[in-house]
Every structure is written in structure tokens, then in C-alpha cells.
Amino acid sequence: MTSTDIFAALRARTVAALEALLPDLPAEAFARVQMEPPRDAAHGDMATNAALVVGKAARQPPAALAQALAGRLAALPEVESAAPAGPGFVNLRLREDFLRAQLPAILAAGEGYGDSGIGGGRRVNVEYVSANPTGPMHVGHCRGAVVGDALANLLGKAGWDVTKEYYINDAGAQVQALALAAYWRYLQVLVATPEGQVLAAGNPALAGFAASAQGREAFEQAFGIALQYGGDYLVPVGQALFTAHGTGLVPAAGPPSAEVLELIRAFTVDAMMAEIRQDLAALGVRQDVFISEAALVRAGVADRAIADLAAKGLVYEGVLEPPKGKLPEDWEPRPQTLFASTKFGDDVDRPLRKSDGSNTYFANDIGNHADKLARGFAELVQVWGADHGGYVRRMVAAVKALSDGHPVPLDVVLTQIVKVVKNGEPVRMSKRAGTYVTLADLIEEVGRDAVRFTMLTRKADAQMEFDLDKVVEQSRENPVFYVQYAHARCRSVLRSGDEAPGGLGDLAAAPLESLTDPAELALIRRLAAWPRTVEAAALAREPHRIAFFLHDLAGDFHVLWNRGREDSTLRFIRGDEPEATRARLALVAATATVIRSGLQVMGVTPVEEMR
RNA sequence: GCGCCCGUAGCUCAGCUGGAUAGAGCACGCGCCUUCUAAGCGCGAUGUCGCAGGUUCGAACCCUGCCGGGCGCGCCA
């Protein structure tokens, strides 16, 4: 739908004009030609660097070329005037009726306005959240969830065929430890039942545990198992295990068997994932694919991927140099199975197997990425926390190696830490102190839309403060409010217009000549910049740009609204001027449409009225 | 010690993949509310873009080196 992007349209016109002026230049000479809004609005509506960019190849001084180009561009039907400027820019001022004509185009496109084809329908896999299923989601996971979801929406709007994915890390030592903790909670339930007491009579370990306060230490002592997790959130899981299996998970003596532990692990992971899905649903995140690391490993995907790399001569047994600086205490040289990631830009080669022969997390993740390649994705995107920054190069290297011959790019978006602030004080994230902020708590406190919007008011790679007081504040300082308020005002005006005699009618057919005020035209210019904003944000993988665009757009609208306070002829609805009213309502409807279009990308619900 | 991210107005941050005189909100100063649209509005002042070199018509943006903050650094995930 790039036909509705007036910047793309005039860029094409410019290139055509250049081709006419310089028929001998090859097409690629025009690749860097840009058509952008000038930083200073006084320069006009659009500016192109065309003369600067092709000047060298054309062997012409940019200023002279700009002069010639301006002459041709001035003759275009969309253009009011074109003038060379600075070292070789050409500034364009567009005809007002051309600008106004964007309104019916926006209204016809609806929320699809801004849809783009630059994705070319390429299949992209966006993996995000992928929190370990070892507990409920907390605010730390939240930013990645929101950024990932918005980025996926954005790519969809820009023409990619998007799959939203969650990789369940359910195969490592952490979930084994989690299973043990669930087992402890299960025994707590069990020993309180008559069946459990009967069982304890013939099982010394269980009897010892039952006779104690059944705390963490008592469990560790009775069964000789160290616990890493102790969270209350496993209490219901213990209960559910007992309900499902009764006394069936208790061995005659000692710790449970590997089979039983595997059963508990799977049960617990399912329970945690159910909780995480609930959290995601509360956040409005719905992923298409949940893929299990354990399932991929069982299916042999990781091993096959490593075999594939080995066949390319990229896997070897070797000994890594010790890391520089502070050595791990138990460091000793030892032979490991290594992937030659240095051949693809990494600093050191990376281990694929632990000394017990099992796969490292990296090895399994190679399997995860190989699986995506096998599913035919043309591009991969990962949204990770900043603490995974050191992991990026090796994974990019692995994907390069795996997709050798038909390269599939892997883009990693890192999200920096969120510091939660309340009453000007940082909220410490501590389970022990009971100040652990779960995602559910956060949503409960400030609402889903405020969480989502606020998480997108910073670049992903900049640290951010999340001020619990400010995000619910109803003032200009709060962008969530500011944008929602603009939409609510639009809707309010449109509702009033609808009640007027005759109603709104078809606004797309409204005569628009009366829209001549600078504030009205500024708003139209902003609306017309939406398609290029979508494209630029998608290409840069920067969903926060949508939030900033909406903030600017809301600002333009509020300015216009306030103009009506000073000058009643600038009110949107004027009883004495039905035609002017219809024109303004078309502008308001288009504004509401673009705000909704942007909020849709962000996953934020537009409100009809403020309360 | 090495790698990655960040460093822009007093504060919180943008800066559209290298463009023109670097922007917004807050805070600050001045003016504005009998009424229609004040959970405010208008106008104004505000900079060593961490520092120093380099690349080029042009650098906050790219390269190199320093300084400062964050994250990470062989069988955690």
C-alpha cells in the first residue's frame, strides 16, 4: 500500500526526474536518494538529498544539479514550489489540496493505513519472553514481552508474515531443581493426610520429614536433596500433584526415582506455563507457537544440528584458554566439544557439551534455531534481556553457519533493565523481602495499557525507570494519558457530530477546501508521515518510534483543539457552517484512525472517553 | 583483562540508519480561566551532543583511542 505514502511517491517522482536529467547513470546511482520531512518546517514539506547523492557519479556540482532538479519538480502536479537550498538539497512545498487529499485516502484505508509492503511477505519468526518456566512472570520479563509483541505487530503491519514464538526452557538443571521443590510441596500436602501418615510409618525418611515442621531444611535433611527454589507459588502445584497422583509418587525409601522426577518436572513445568500464559494473556500477548526445548532435544533436533555443523568441519574437541582477569575458582583446562564460532565473528569458540556429555544451553538453542530454519523462516528475530548480550555473537555465528548458502539473518533486540520506582524510591526486587513485583501485580496496579505504552516510551537498549505514580497520572507529562486523551477527544467530537442534524454522512466525500489553517495542515502532514514511520521503525526493529509518533500526533491534535478556544471559528463543529464542519470532522476521523492504527501496533486499547 | 550497551538542556529522554540553525516534556520566567473546548493554554530562555583525533561536500550518528555508568565473560539458562 505504498501508494498512500506521499514521501515514497515523491521520492519516485524525484528519481524519475533525475533519470530524465541524467539518462546515462545506472539505476543503482539513485539508491541513496531520500525524501524526508526537513527538520525545520520553514524549509517546506519535504526535502531531498538527491543532488548531493548523485552529484559525484554525475560529475556535476550538487548545487547546479539541485537547481535543475528543482525546476523539474516544481512542474509536478503535487508540488506548489521547489527550491534548491544549502549545499544541494531541494526543498518541496506541497500543494495544499494534495495534502488535503490524503484525508479521504486515510479514511478509506481505515486502520490499515500505514500498512506497507516492504516486508515482501517474507516469513519472520519473532521469539520473545521465553522466560524460564520456574515461576510467575515479573516486571523484568515484561519489557521483553511488550517490545517483542509490538515489534511482531509492527513487522506484520510492514508486510512481513510474522510468527510470534515462545521457547520454553524446560530442559535444563533449573527445571530439575524446580521439580524437587515441587516434590517438597507435594510431601507437605501428603503427610497431612491419613494415607500419608500410613505411608510414613514404613518410610523412615518420610517419617522424619512428617515429624518436623516440614520446612525446607527438614526436607533437605530427610532426603539428602538441596533445594534451590522455595517459593510459595509452588504450594498449589504440590496440592495438584497430590490430587492427581495421591501417594503414588513416594518411593519405599530415599529420594524419588528419575522416572517420578521426570513426571513431576513435566507436571510442574505445565503448571508454570499455565501461569505464564495467564500473565501473558493479562498483558494482551498471544503467541502463536510455544516450543519446548525438552521436546526438541527428545526429537534429536539439537543433535542433528550439531552433526550438521560437524559435517561442515565446525565442531572439534579442544581446550579453551582461561578467561582473562578474575578466574573462576575451580578453573582447570579440560577438553570440550567446541563450535568454531570464531569463524563467524565470535571472540572465542563456544562449548557445546558439558563434561557429563549432556548439551549446553547453547547447543540446545542451536537446535531451536535449526528448527526455525527447517520451518522455512526467511528472517529470525530474538528479543533478549540485556544480561544475554554476551550470548548474541555466538548465536548469530551459529545461525550463519547453519544457514550457510541461503543466509537467514538473525536480529537480536536487547532490552535493558527496568527499574521500578514508587514515591520516588526504587522498589527493590527481592523475593525474600516480599517486594518482588510480579507482572500480575503491576498490571493490577496501573492497568495493561499503561504498562504496554510505558514500556515502549524508551529505546529498547536504554535503561528505563518505571514510575508507578507517573504512569497513572492524568497530565500532559504522561504520554499514555496524552495519547489516549487525544483519541477520546476525537471520538467525543465525532459523537457530537453524529448527533447533529443530518449526522456525519460519508466523511471521505466531504469537501475539504476549508481546511487551510496552519494547525490543520500541520496535523495533515503528521498523518501523512505515518506510513514512512511504520516502515522506518520496522526496518530498524524499533517499536518505540510508534509511541513517539503517536505522542507527536496527539500534540498536533491538542494544539488544534486548543486553537478553537481562542478562535471559535476553528471549532470542529460549527452549527452555521455545515461544510466546514464536515471537513474538520474528516480530519478528526482521520486522526482517530491513525491513533488507533498506532495503538494497535503497540497492543494498547484506544479509549472512547477518559474517566 | 576482554566483549556488548549507554553517555545529548538543571531532570527524564527523542533525534527518522550521514544532512541545513540539535528537539520534546518537566522544572524555570512572563502572560492568560465570567462563557462556548482550562484533569489547562500561549510565549520565552536553556547545549563543550563525555573527551581527543580521523573519514567527507557534510558527523550527535561512521572509524580509532581514552574517560564515566550498566550488563556479561569455560559444564547458569
Side-chain angles (χ1 to χ4, degrees):
Chain A
M1 275 315 215
T2 48
S3 59
T4 57
D5 181 351
I6 61 175
F7 290 89
L10 278 145
R11 181 190 177 276
R13 297 281 212 172
T14 301
V15 170
L18 276 177
E19 280 170 342
L21 283 168
L22 307 163
D24 299 334
L25 283 190
E28 55 268 26
F30 306 114
R32 287 178 55 222
V33 170
Q34 294 178 343
M35 184 64 79
E36 311 186 286
R39 210 179 278 164
D40 187 343
H43 290 145
D45 297 316
M46 294 183 180
T48 180
N49 61 354
L52 289 163
V53 172
V54 303
K56 194 172 274 182
R59 297 187 181 180
Q60 288 193 28
L65 192 52
Q67 180 76 50
L69 181 60
R72 287 197 169 243
L73 293 179
L76 293 173
E78 300 92 336
V79 174
E80 177 72 36
S81 64
F89 291 98
V90 176
N91 292 332
L92 299 183
R93 192 165 295 281
L94 300 175
R95 290 176 56 108
E96 291 186 2
D97 54 2
F98 175 63
L99 286 171
R100 287 190 284 264
Q102 300 314 306
L103 294 181
I106 293 168
L107 293 173
E111 285 159 38
Y113 180 59
D115 288 2
S116 159
I118 45 165
R122 285 189 298 284
R123 295 186 59 211
V124 61
N125 182 290
V126 185
E127 184 191 312
Y128 54 104
V129 190
S130 300
N132 294 342
T134 55
M137 290 177 67
H138 55 76
V139 287
H141 301 117
C142 173
R143 191 173 188 184
V146 172
V147 168
D149 206 47
L151 176 54
N153 293 341
L154 176 60
L155 292 175
K157 190 168 181 67
W160 275 268
D161 177 4
V162 181
T163 297
K164 300 178 174 182
E165 190 146 322
Y166 186 120
Y167 177 58
I168 307 170
N169 300 146
D170 56 356
Q174 308 249 314
V175 287
Q176 299 296 343
L178 182 79
L180 292 172
Y183 184 61
W184 163 47
R185 295 300 191 181
Y186 160 77
L187 291 184
Q188 283 182 325
V189 174
L190 177 130
V191 296
T193 63
E195 307 96 289
Q197 279 158 12
V198 171
L199 211 57
N203 184 326
L206 191 59
F209 176 72
S212 74
Q214 298 155 28
R216 202 167 155 161
E217 295 76 15
F219 173 85
E220 293 183 333
Q221 215 161 22
F223 299 96
I225 294 171
L227 286 182
Q228 286 179 35
Y229 293 88
D232 289 345
Y233 59 86
L234 287 171
V235 171
V237 178
Q239 182 64 57
L241 272 168
F242 182 77
T243 305
H245 297 280
T247 59
L249 304 178
V250 183
S257 66
E259 287 74 23
V260 167
L261 270 182
E262 168 53 26
L263 185 155
I264 295 173
R265 185 200 62 82
F267 188 96
T268 309
V269 165
D270 284 349
M272 293 297 105
M273 283 309 298
E275 193 155 346
I276 287 171
R277 281 175 197 249
Q278 251 180 27
D279 287 341
L280 289 171
L283 193 58
V285 172
R286 265 169 289 279
Q287 280 149 301
D288 305 311
V289 177
F290 285 75
I291 200 149
S292 152
E293 176 185 2
L296 286 179
V297 170
R298 272 198 303 276
V301 172
D303 288 338
R304 276 200 302 278
I306 291 169
D308 177 24
L309 294 177
K312 293 175 176 170
L314 298 170
V315 176
Y316 66 99
E317 297 295 320
V319 178
L320 287 177
E321 294 283 309
K324 302 277 196 255
K326 195 177 65 178
L327 279 186
E329 276 180 21
D330 58 345
W331 193 88
E332 60 186 27
R334 68 186 146 228
Q336 290 177 296
T337 304
L338 299 169
F339 165 56
S341 51
T342 45
K343 291 193 179 165
F344 299 89
D346 203 356
D347 307 313
V348 288
D349 292 340
R350 304 290 180 175
L352 295 171
R353 298 206 204 280
K354 306 176 190 175
S355 55
D356 66 1
S358 67
N359 287 349
T360 59
Y361 178 80
F362 178 47
N364 285 351
D365 209 6
I366 290 177
N368 174 31
H369 285 78
D371 180 60
K372 294 183 200 211
L373 296 177
R375 281 185 278 150
F377 290 102
E379 296 177 32
L380 305 179
V381 175
Q382 287 282 359
V383 180
W384 291 339
D387 55 345
H388 287 61
Y391 188 74
V392 173
R393 285 198 175 177
R394 79 188 68 171
M395 205 62 246
V396 169
V399 170
K400 262 186 209 159
L402 287 169
S403 66
D404 200 15
H406 53 284
V408 173
L410 166 63
D411 277 339
V412 180
V413 175
L414 295 179
T415 61
Q416 277 286 350
I417 326 172
V418 177
K419 288 179 189 161
V420 181
V421 175
K422 191 177 173 75
N423 303 324
E425 296 283 315
V427 178
R428 296 217 179 282
M429 294 292 292
S430 162
K431 282 186 189 179
R432 204 166 290 166
T435 55
Y436 179 84
V437 184
T438 64
L439 176 58
D441 292 341
L442 185 69
I443 293 172
E444 170 118 7
E445 180 149 355
V446 305
R448 187 234 285 187
D449 290 327
V451 170
R452 291 191 66 126
F453 199 107
T454 305
M455 288 291 171
L456 292 167
T457 55
R458 295 282 180 277
K459 284 185 290 212
D461 55 12
Q463 290 183 29
M464 124 179 238
E465 251 183 32
F466 192 99
D467 191 320
L468 291 174
D469 307 311
K470 281 198 180 137
V471 297
V472 293
E473 202 171 281
Q474 302 206 327
S475 75
R476 177 161 197 185
E477 203 177 339
N478 179 1
V480 186
F481 170 79
Y482 196 63
V483 171
Q484 290 282 32
Y485 192 25
H487 184 260
R489 274 180 161 173
C490 288
R491 296 298 305 158
S492 157
V493 169
L494 291 169
R495 278 192 301 270
S496 307
D498 210 16
E499 285 162 10
L504 295 175
D506 180 13
L507 289 177
L512 301 170
E513 294 73 30
S514 60
L515 298 176
T516 55
D517 187 80
E520 292 170 330
L521 293 168
L523 182 55
I524 295 174
R525 288 187 183 94
R526 181 79 66 186
L527 295 172
W530 174 232
R532 67 186 297 279
T533 302
V534 170
E535 289 190 356
L539 288 171
R541 274 85 164 114
E542 289 184 345
H544 77 277
R545 291 191 197 184
I546 304 305
F548 282 90
F549 174 86
L550 290 183
H551 190 258
D552 290 343
L553 171 58
D556 291 335
F557 178 75
H558 288 309
V559 164
L560 186 56
W561 175 284
N562 289 318
R563 290 287 312 275
R565 206 189 279 148
E566 300 286 316
D567 178 354
S568 62
T569 66
L570 281 171
R571 296 283 171 100
F572 295 116
I573 298 174
R574 295 181 60 196
D576 53 333
E577 295 271 4
E579 294 242 312
T581 298
R582 293 233 302 149
R584 297 221 172 107
L585 291 182
L587 176 57
V588 171
T591 303
T593 299
V594 173
I595 292 177
R596 278 199 302 279
S597 176
L599 289 179
Q600 204 167 59
V601 170
M602 298 174 73
V604 173
T605 319
V607 300
E608 291 293 310
E609 53 188 338
M610 303 306 288
R611 266 177 283 184

